[in-house]
Amino acid sequence: MGYLLLGVAIAAEVAATTAMKYSEGFSKLWPSLFTGVGYVISFVLLAQALKSMSIGTAYAIWSGVGTATVAALGLVLFGEELSFAKVAGIVLIIAGVVALNMGGAH
């Protein structure tokens, strides 16, 4: 159940971050509200996931998957540039999450 809650927390965080981009510095009402609600949902679900997961594992997955997903959405939705540095960074994030999970962060 912890991983399911964590997955939904990640989805809410990614949606909130994407909405923040659309809010144009919180100058647009609906994207700004969506940002706030999304982050509240994300943190509540992350807190619930932490009841059954170690904090290191949960946070590594939450931040790593969220970062990689937002980077991919930046490419698709906002036409951001794909550089070697971005690809290398995402690979390193994924490697770090895997290392924490395999290295006893549980």
Side-chain angles (χ1 to χ4, degrees):
M1 186 65 157
Y3 284 98
L4 176 63
L5 290 169
L6 184 60
V8 179
I10 292 167
E13 187 268 333
V14 168
T17 301
T18 305
M20 188 185 308
K21 175 72 171 173
Y22 285 113
S23 78
E24 297 183 14
F26 296 115
S27 65
K28 293 187 175 182
L29 177 63
W30 292 111
S32 299
L33 290 175
F34 194 87
T35 298
V37 170
Y39 278 123
V40 168
I41 291 169
S42 181
F43 282 118
V44 167
L45 293 174
L46 177 60
Q48 294 303 308
L50 289 176
K51 289 181 178 180
S52 63
M53 299 178 71
S54 73
I55 191 169
T57 299
Y59 192 73
I61 294 169
W62 184 74
S63 61
V65 172
T67 300
T69 304
V70 168
L73 286 173
L75 297 170
V76 174
L77 297 177
F78 306 111
E80 294 179 358
E81 178 180 316
L82 180 62
S83 65
F84 175 78
K86 282 187 181 181
V87 172
I90 291 171
V91 168
L92 288 170
I93 289 168
I94 293 167
V97 170
V98 170
L100 277 171
N101 280 304
M102 292 177 64
H106 298 276

